């Protein structure tokens, strides 16, 4: 049976709760983590936009490459010659992950609630490397596919040897990798929180090469085998694909939107329309009847949209119960929502709002 796309958030909630919708997957990007305070990579002001190659420990040729295209800082060809640019750029992200600086947002909690309340969550395919999905205690690890790897684990990019103690790896990053973002770095002070003035290698305990890094996928390397295994299993029977906070420009992750069956409803949660070149259609009419009723666009930032959806689903009390575990921006949004709901109830009861 082909499901019709909703017309609004209330309709999306009804679709999720309907008996006909049995299998739901999410494809997520940086937008779901914005409220956590994690720095974005691609947006204006993000890592790629503000990269200063002259600060990195690199050859002149490597700096020129990164000047022309900042993504070379996370490219395999550069990394295997020189691991320092990657580690120096990622240093605050690695240490912030160790220190649990960032918390799962409302958007992450939606996936957790979807699993707990309906048991319809087939998979979360996240393009993010922040590992925040895994911080949701009631979201099983086998429900999460980190398409581009995770910064919360480490291994040797050369021989594949896993680092058993991620905390010990982080300690080495803290004391051996210079901080290009902080002018206070001092070679004579290696106390906690103070980086060395010059970077020194972090060698693999197995092969001895200086190629140890978080388990993120470098440009020029293959995605985890689990991505291809899970998509082959999940997509053929998927009823609803929710695409959230992603530009849909990175392949093969973006292939999910056109590999799902024609009967699969696709809901896009984003500030702007994305994926039109992949077949997502935002305007219905006589010219596109073949996809009539398939695609739905919920425009807005991810936390706001998913908060509205959680409210429509009747799960807001569950979110309130973990309010203290949300990042401050998500907490503020939830407080505003609760106040708005109270005002609406008061108006409905004819009470004075003052």
């Amino acid at each position: 049976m082909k499901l019709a796309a909703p017309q609004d958030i209330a309709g999306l909630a009804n679709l999720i709760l309907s008996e006909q919708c049995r299998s739901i997957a999410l494809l997520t990007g940086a937008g779901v983590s914005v409220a956590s305070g994690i720095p974005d990579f691609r947006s204006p002001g993000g890592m790629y936009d503000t990269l200063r190659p002259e600060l990195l420990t690199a050859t002149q040729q490597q700096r020129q490459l990164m000047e022309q295209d900042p993504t070379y800082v996370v490219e395999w060809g550069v990394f295997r010659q020189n691991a320092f640019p990657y580690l120096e750029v990622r240093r605050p992200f690695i240490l912030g992950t160790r220190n649990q600086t960032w918390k799962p947002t409302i958007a992450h909690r939606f996936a957790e609630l979807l699993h707990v309340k309906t048991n319809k969550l087939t998979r979360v395919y996240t393009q993010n490397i922040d590992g925040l999905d895994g911080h949701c205690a009631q979201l099983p690890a086998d429900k999460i596919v980190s398409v581009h790897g995770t910064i919360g684990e480490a291994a040797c990019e050369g021989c594949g040897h896993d680092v058993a103690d991620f905390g010990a790896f982080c300690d080495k990053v803290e004391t051996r990798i210079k901080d290009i973002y902080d002018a206070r770095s001092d070679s004579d002070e290696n106390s906690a929180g103070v980086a060395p003035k010059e970077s020194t290698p972090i060698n693999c305990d197995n092969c001895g090469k200086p190629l140890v890094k978080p388990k993120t996928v470098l440009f020029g390397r293959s995605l985890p085998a689990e991505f291809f295994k899970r998509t082959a299993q999940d997509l053929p029977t998927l009823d609803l694909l929710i695409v959230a906070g992603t530009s849909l420009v990175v392949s093969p992750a973006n292939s999910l939107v056109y590999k799902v069956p024609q009967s699969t409803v696709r809901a896009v949660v984003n500030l702007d329309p994305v994926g039109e070149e992949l077949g997502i259609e935002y305007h219905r009419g006589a010219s596109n009847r073949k996809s009539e009723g398939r695609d739905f666009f919920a425009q807005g930032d991810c936390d706001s949209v998913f908060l509205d959806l959680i409210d429509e689903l009747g799960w807001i009390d569950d979110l309130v119960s973990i309010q203290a575990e949300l990042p401050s921006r998500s907490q503020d949004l939830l407080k505003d929502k609760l106040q708005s709901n109270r005002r609406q109830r008061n108006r409905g009861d004819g009470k004075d709002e003052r």
Side-chain angles (χ1 to χ4, degrees):
M1 176 181 177
K2 184 175 181 179
L3 301 174
Q7 302 296 312
D8 51 27
I9 290 295
L12 180 58
N14 289 335
L15 173 62
I16 289 170
L17 296 176
S18 70
E19 292 183 1
Q20 291 77 24
C21 183
R22 296 179 295 273
S23 177
I24 304 171
L26 280 79
L27 173 63
T28 62
V32 300
S33 296
V34 166
S36 72
I38 289 179
D40 192 5
F41 295 150
R42 297 179 181 278
S43 299
M47 184 190 83
Y48 294 148
D49 187 45
T50 60
L51 183 69
R52 295 179 60 189
E54 72 275 11
L55 298 179
L56 300 174
T57 305
T59 66
Q60 188 59 34
Q61 182 183 23
Q62 290 165 350
R63 286 177 179 148
Q64 287 175 349
L65 284 173
M66 290 181 278
E67 192 82 49
Q68 296 165 7
D69 182 354
T71 62
Y72 271 104
V73 78
V74 289
E75 196 266 337
W76 167 234
V78 170
F79 182 85
R80 65 183 170 186
Q81 296 174 14
N82 179 8
F84 291 142
Y86 173 96
L87 292 172
E88 289 167 1
V89 165
R90 293 281 202 232
R91 184 182 191 275
F93 202 1
I94 295 167
L95 300 183
T97 299
R98 178 196 63 182
N99 299 336
Q100 296 189 342
T101 301
W102 303 289
K103 300 177 181 179
T105 66
I106 291 171
H108 294 104
R109 296 297 182 176
F110 166 76
E112 182 181 39
L113 287 171
L114 180 64
H115 170 67
V116 171
K117 306 290 282 188
T118 72
N119 200 33
K120 294 181 179 183
L121 177 67
T122 298
R123 211 78 58 197
V124 175
Y125 291 92
T126 178
Q127 297 172 85
N128 299 333
I129 60 173
D130 53 43
L132 290 181
D133 300 276
H135 291 181
C136 297
Q138 297 186 79
L139 187 58
D142 65 357
K143 292 290 183 181
I144 305 165
V145 173
S146 298
V147 181
H148 298 144
T150 177
I151 206 144
E153 299 174 9
C156 177
E157 194 72 19
C159 70
H161 178 71
D162 285 333
V163 173
D165 189 341
F166 180 70
F169 166 73
C170 292
D171 291 343
K172 292 178 182 178
V173 170
E174 187 169 39
T175 57
R176 297 187 191 181
I177 302 301
K178 74 176 184 180
D179 187 350
I180 63 171
Y181 304 98
D182 191 346
R184 295 174 300 169
S185 297
D186 190 322
S187 60
D188 296 323
E189 297 182 79
N190 283 332
S191 58
V194 179
K197 201 162 191 176
E198 300 295 334
S199 296
T200 54
I202 300 176
N203 295 325
C204 175
D205 292 337
N206 183 56
C207 69
K209 295 179 180 178
L211 297 175
V212 182
K213 57 175 276 297
K215 287 186 178 179
T216 60
V217 179
L218 297 170
F219 285 111
R221 300 290 265 179
S222 298
L223 295 190
E226 185 185 18
F227 170 74
F228 302 100
K229 175 185 174 183
R230 294 297 192 185
T231 53
Q233 292 175 346
D234 298 344
L235 300 190
T237 57
L238 207 61
D239 296 308
L240 172 63
L241 175 65
I242 300 175
V243 179
T246 171
S247 60
L248 287 179
V249 298
V250 179
S251 63
N254 63 3
S255 67
L256 269 64
V257 302
Y258 59 81
K259 286 186 176 179
V260 294
Q262 285 292 319
S263 58
T264 303
V265 174
R266 303 179 297 194
V268 176
V269 179
N270 209 51
L271 290 171
D272 302 298
V274 293
E276 290 176 280
E277 69 282 2
L278 302 175
I280 296 177
E281 297 181 345
Y282 292 89
H283 305 287
R284 297 197 182 106
S287 63
N288 62 357
R289 285 179 183 148
K290 69 176 182 178
S291 64
E292 180 76 11
R294 184 181 189 196
D295 298 327
F296 168 64
F297 182 37
Q299 188 166 23
D301 70 88
C302 288
D303 256 26
S304 296
V305 172
F306 281 113
L307 179 56
D308 288 343
L309 181 55
I310 288 169
D311 193 22
E312 289 288 348
L313 287 162
W315 302 342
I316 201 158
D317 287 343
D318 299 274
L319 192 61
V320 170
S321 70
I322 56 168
Q323 184 171 349
E325 299 174 31
L326 296 171
S328 58
R329 285 175 61 180
S330 296
Q331 287 190 37
D332 291 343
L333 196 62
L334 178 56
K335 289 175 186 175
D336 290 344
K337 182 70 172 178
L338 294 172
Q339 289 175 356
S340 175
N341 287 354
R342 280 195 291 271
R343 285 195 296 268
Q344 289 180 5
R345 284 196 299 271
N346 288 341
R347 282 198 295 268
D349 293 340
K351 295 179 181 178
D352 194 327
E353 292 182 38
R354 291 174 293 177

